[in-house]
């Protein structure tokens, strides 16, 4: 015994025989026009209507952040300046001593075994310490300058701190090269 074919439902919607198509009353959906319905009765109902001849108001700009105390930006700028000055001084003193140590080693009769004593290592560590001081204070000034700029708490000082900490490596390197080269006595070589 075979079952007779099911006739197609109206609107090409699947269903069982005797069951109304989806969207019709009896499906659990609220009928059109009843209070508390989930969907508007007419297209555009429930949405703001635009009157002819009127345009919606342009969106208002976001209010600027209120200015806070400039202390955050000032501290960032001071940290950046300390980075450049302290880094340059430490690098300059250490590179002068390093150049003198290297000149002494070159002028005398050193053998490779004498270089194992590495008398120049403290001066070399001094140069690294100068760059480390610049790096730490410069990073502090850079990060705090960015925060101060974003939060509008000393924005001008924060921008200055960012610029000083980024460009500050140039004077530190110039100090290192100038003091190292000028401290080497070329007449003894």
């Amino acid at each position: 015994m075979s079952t007779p074919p099911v006739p197609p439902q109206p609107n090409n919607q699947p269903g069982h025989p005797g069951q109304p198509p989806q969207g019709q009353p009896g499906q659990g959906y609220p009928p059109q026009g009843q209070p508390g319905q989930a969907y508007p009765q007419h297209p555009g109902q429930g949405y703001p209507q635009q009157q002819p001849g009127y345009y919606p108001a342009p969106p208002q700009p976001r209010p600027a952040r209120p200015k806070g105390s400039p202390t955050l930006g000032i501290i960032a700028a001071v940290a950046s300046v300390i980075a450049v000055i302290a880094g340059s001084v430490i690098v300059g003193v250490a590179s002068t001593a390093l150049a003198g140590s290297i000149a002494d080693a070159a002028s005398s009769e050193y053998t490779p075994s004498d270089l194992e004593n590495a008398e120049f290592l403290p001066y070399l560590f001094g140069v690294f310490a100068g760059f480390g001081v610049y790096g730490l204070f410069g990073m502090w000034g850079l990060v705090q300058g960015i925060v101060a700029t974003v939060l509008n708490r000393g924005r001008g000082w924060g921008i200055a701190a960012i610029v000083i900490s980024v460009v500050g490596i140039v004077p530190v390197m110039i100090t290192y090269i100038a003091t190292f080269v000028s401290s080497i006595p070329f007449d003894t070589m």
Side-chain angles (χ1 to χ4, degrees):
M1 204 177 207
S2 72
T3 58
V6 177
Q9 298 293 323
N11 297 331
N12 293 330
Q13 294 180 351
H16 297 289
Q19 181 182 20
Q22 292 180 354
Q24 297 295 322
Q27 285 289 321
Y29 296 110
Q32 295 282 338
Q34 286 187 354
Q37 69 183 16
Y39 303 103
Q41 292 180 8
H42 303 288
Q45 183 181 6
Y47 300 102
Q49 297 293 320
Q50 182 175 346
Q51 300 295 327
Y54 293 100
Y55 296 101
Q60 298 298 320
R62 244 178 39 189
R65 287 188 181 260
K67 282 191 172 186
S69 172
T71 307
L72 194 66
I74 293 171
I75 292 173
V78 168
S80 298
V81 169
I82 288 174
V84 174
I85 292 173
S88 296
V89 168
I90 294 171
V91 165
V93 170
S95 65
T96 301
L98 179 64
S101 174
I102 291 174
D104 290 343
S107 65
S108 63
E109 297 295 324
Y110 269 87
T111 62
S113 62
D114 291 336
L115 289 178
E116 289 176 2
N117 295 337
E119 296 174 3
F120 64 92
L121 278 181
Y123 308 121
L124 188 61
F125 287 138
V127 171
F128 291 148
F131 282 111
V133 166
Y134 165 74
L136 289 175
F137 278 95
M139 188 62 66
W140 174 18
L142 176 68
V143 171
Q144 191 166 344
I146 291 171
V147 170
T149 303
V150 169
L151 295 179
N152 199 12
R153 292 179 60 195
R155 179 169 281 164
W157 289 101
I159 293 171
I162 293 169
V163 170
I164 291 169
S165 59
V166 169
V167 180
I169 190 66
V170 174
V172 175
M173 285 299 295
I174 289 173
T175 302
Y176 170 67
I177 293 169
T179 56
F180 185 79
V181 171
S182 66
S183 298
I184 295 177
F186 288 104
D187 58 338
T188 59
M189 291 186 166

